Amino acid sequence: METLKRAFRREKDKDAPLSTPGHAKGSAGHALSLLAPLCAGLAVCQALATVWVFRSNQEVLDKAVRAAAAGYLPVPSPDTLPSLASFQTALCGACLFTLSAGAGLTVLFTLIGLGEAKVQDKGILRRAAPYATALALLVWVNVEGLVFWPSAITLFVPLATLAACGNVRKEALTLPKTAVNGMAIALALLLPVAFSYGWLVGKPDSRVFTSLRDSLLLSNPAGQQLNDFYYTYTLGPAEVLKSLAKRQGKTARVEKDAEPDAAAKVKGALLRHDYLPVEDKGPVDLEVRLSKADVELGWKGRALVRAGTQEFFESPGKFLEGYSKTRDRLGNFRALVFWSIVLGLPLFALITAHALATAAVSRFAPPAIAARGAVLLCLCAALGLGAVAMEPARIAQGGQPLRALLTSDTAAERTAGLRRACQERRDACAEGYGEGPPAGAGLAERYWHTQALGFCRGADAVQKLEGLLSDRQRNVACMAFFALGNRGAVESLPKVLEITEKSTDWYIRMYGYGTARRLGWTQGE
């Protein structure tokens, strides 16, 4: 303890010029000023992404209306027009880009901009380095072809961030060296923590992600509101990022002069791969031209893929996938979004938390001590969050028998048991959970019970799942569709189609459509 006191006094002596209340307030202001470039970059990204998502939503709705007019089951439903066409929906959906690519770019160029301030040599090459980095990113995003909105985000977000770094750099020159070093130590310690969180949560089928969701979102009303926000607004921007092969409601047009039998055969092949042939004059995702020898796949009058007629009919999926890859120009931007989620967003959260903690602690401590104390606070918070996030996975992977977990009086243990039953594809009903969740069970338990029904061999499992298709909670209803698909419950196809056709919820309609396709249904039947 005496050692800590002596260290505190030494740091206080070093920072004596800033030890007065006025200087402490200035130090707190500097800590908060670190957020200025982050906020500037995020604001620019939000504005650009909102316009991008708004335009994309209009296109999605247009295709849905035309597909419905042609007699198909479109995803999303044309009845979502009032909400999906609104500017508010685009504004909320744009948060997906702001908290991914926006967070990653702002963190990167904030660090570059602040780091450039410490360089003593202010030659033209040094000053141009941040802008050269932005230009290199812009070129990389467009390697597969020019893309307007990703280019705008990749260009203007760094420029706004670097411009906002100017005031922060000026304030940084007034700080003692110990304070600046303390902030550097903070970044050095927080970087691996951020990367660990992002990598574990961002991995496909990550148990950390589902544990985090179960512990922090599905377990309380505020978290459920955030969960509902995600389900309500993210499909629009997600549709923008997908390659054509993975998009919903793709439209196609087969030339009118084609031989009728060949045209009918091509339309059948397109329907089996979720391309909806339409006859109107609106824009389409795929144009097909036929001759006796060739099938030509094109877009906006340009031929992109050619195949022999017989060869195309033998494996249409191969050529349609090739067409999708030829059209796809967003591969590098998707990589930017992914790595921004993995590293940029966690680091953004930790830098923000560190700045706020530093501002608070610097009210009663010297700047260097405040910076280091803020690091400890952030590390403790990160470790605590990690412990909470991993608790469901820890219980599920513990040594308790599955039956003991499923028959426990504790909701957390029952949920962990259902989770393990799903991961091991075991019959939870036969292991003591046949009665289902108790009255008033939490959302996480109901979600995993619904998924577990997909592996139950009981005669009433399908009937229970059909009842859950209309559940008021999206997570449960979507999982009921998914579980029926897992079971291969063909007898449920009429019910699946009925619920899907009636729903105006994009997520439920997407899961319903996917389940119907897994059960053997095809558009036009």
Side-chain angles (χ1 to χ4, degrees):
M1 182 63 71
E2 287 299 323
T3 302
L4 288 176
K5 289 180 178 178
R6 286 196 296 272
F8 185 88
R9 282 196 295 270
R10 284 198 303 271
E11 295 296 345
K12 190 171 182 179
D13 291 340
K14 291 178 184 178
D15 296 323
L18 290 181
S19 59
T20 64
H23 282 98
K25 184 176 180 181
S27 179
H30 169 74
L32 293 178
S33 73
L34 290 173
L35 301 181
L38 298 177
C39 293
L42 293 185
V44 171
C45 185
Q46 179 71 23
L48 293 171
T50 297
V51 180
W52 186 15
V53 174
F54 182 79
R55 289 171 60 90
S56 174
N57 285 349
Q58 309 307 307
E59 295 174 3
V60 168
L61 276 172
D62 176 67
K63 288 192 291 186
V65 170
R66 290 162 53 209
Y72 299 115
L73 175 62
V75 179
S77 167
D79 295 332
T80 61
L81 181 63
S83 60
L84 192 57
S86 71
F87 188 78
Q88 176 186 341
T89 299
L91 182 67
C92 295
C95 292
L96 178 66
F97 290 115
T98 302
L99 296 178
S100 56
L105 290 170
T106 53
V107 166
L108 174 62
F109 284 91
T110 295
L111 298 180
I112 291 175
L114 297 181
E116 189 262 346
K118 297 194 68 177
V119 177
Q120 299 300 319
D121 178 11
K122 296 296 183 180
I124 187 170
L125 292 180
R126 295 275 188 187
R127 292 196 300 268
Y131 302 97
T133 304
L135 180 60
L137 270 176
L138 180 63
V139 171
W140 176 70
V141 164
N142 287 278
V143 161
E144 297 170 305
L146 295 177
V147 281
F148 179 78
W149 291 108
S151 297
I153 290 173
T154 309
L155 176 63
F156 291 110
V157 171
L159 292 180
T161 304
L162 291 172
C165 282
N167 290 333
V168 180
R169 289 199 296 267
K170 293 175 184 177
E171 290 191 25
L173 297 176
T174 67
L175 280 179
K177 185 177 180 180
T178 51
V180 175
N181 289 341
M183 293 175 187
I185 292 171
L187 287 175
L189 289 174
L190 296 179
L191 183 63
V193 174
F195 182 80
S196 300
Y197 265 100
W199 178 252
L200 290 173
V201 174
K203 289 173 63 178
D205 302 322
S206 171
R207 293 179 182 180
V208 178
F209 173 78
T210 53
S211 293
L212 192 65
R213 181 202 62 194
D214 293 350
S215 301
L216 300 182
L217 297 184
L218 302 189
S219 61
N220 60 88
Q224 290 177 23
Q225 289 291 326
L226 184 58
N227 176 75
D228 288 341
F229 180 92
Y230 171 84
Y231 272 84
T232 301
Y233 295 112
T234 57
L235 275 179
E239 193 76 2
V240 167
L241 281 178
K242 292 177 182 177
S243 65
L244 183 61
K246 296 181 179 179
R247 291 183 184 177
Q248 304 159 29
K250 302 180 290 289
T251 54
R253 181 181 297 113
V254 180
E255 64 174 354
K256 294 182 178 180
D257 296 335
E259 196 274 323
D261 291 341
K265 195 173 181 180
V266 168
K267 289 178 180 179
L270 293 175
L271 287 170
R272 289 193 297 274
H273 291 85
D274 296 308
Y275 284 86
L276 309 180
V278 294
E279 303 294 336
D280 59 45
K281 296 182 179 180
V284 293
D285 298 301
L286 170 63
E287 298 168 353
V288 182
R289 295 179 178 84
L290 297 173
S291 67
K292 292 183 178 180
D294 297 316
V295 176
E296 184 182 282
L297 308 180
W299 185 54
K300 293 185 176 180
R302 294 185 296 115
L304 300 179
V305 174
R306 285 189 177 90
T309 302
Q310 186 61 33
E311 191 179 10
F312 176 83
F313 288 136
E314 287 176 357
S315 54
K318 179 179 72 172
F319 294 102
L320 290 171
E321 180 67 26
Y323 171 77
S324 173
K325 290 180 179 178
T326 303
R327 284 272 314 270
D328 186 17
R329 299 178 178 179
L330 292 174
N332 286 345
F333 187 73
R334 283 195 294 270
L336 174 63
V337 169
F338 172 77
W339 285 107
S340 295
I341 293 173
V342 167
L343 184 55
L345 181 57
L347 189 54
F348 167 79
L350 286 173
I351 290 175
T352 302
H354 178 261
L356 295 175
T358 300
V361 177
S362 64
R363 297 285 180 177
F364 52 85
I369 294 293
R372 293 165 189 172
V375 171
L376 289 177
L377 289 176
C378 291
L379 288 177
C380 289
L383 292 174
L385 183 63
V388 171
M390 292 305 297
E391 183 64 12
R394 185 192 66 77
I395 297 174
Q397 300 303 316
Q400 292 192 63
L402 181 59
R403 179 175 288 272
L405 289 174
L406 292 173
T407 56
S408 171
D409 293 331
T410 305
E413 292 188 344
R414 292 195 304 271
T415 303
L418 291 167
R419 180 191 180 111
R420 188 201 294 180
C422 293
Q423 291 167 355
E424 299 175 359
R425 305 177 71 88
R426 293 171 64 180
D427 187 346
C429 301
E431 294 286 348
Y433 204 81
E435 297 300 320
L443 178 54
E445 183 173 357
R446 296 184 62 238
Y447 171 89
W448 286 106
H449 166 247
T450 305
Q451 184 172 346
L453 285 173
F455 306 107
C456 290
R457 294 184 291 273
D460 61 343
V462 171
Q463 183 179 358
K464 289 180 179 178
L465 285 172
E466 289 183 357
L468 290 169
L469 293 177
S470 301
D471 195 271
R472 57 184 174 80
Q473 220 297 323
R474 283 194 193 97
N475 297 71
V476 174
C478 291
M479 193 47 57
F481 282 111
F482 182 77
L484 285 171
N486 276 348
R487 295 182 66 93
V490 179
E491 67 274 20
S492 299
L493 182 56
K495 185 68 173 179
V496 167
L497 288 174
E498 177 189 348
I499 299 295
T500 303
E501 289 173 352
K502 289 181 179 178
S503 177
T504 58
D505 186 285
W506 192 342
Y507 251 100
I508 290 178
R509 204 168 175 98
M510 180 183 71
Y511 269 86
Y513 183 91
T515 298
R517 294 288 287 118
R518 291 173 68 189
L519 296 178
W521 172 81
T522 302
Q523 289 270 21
E525 290 184 352

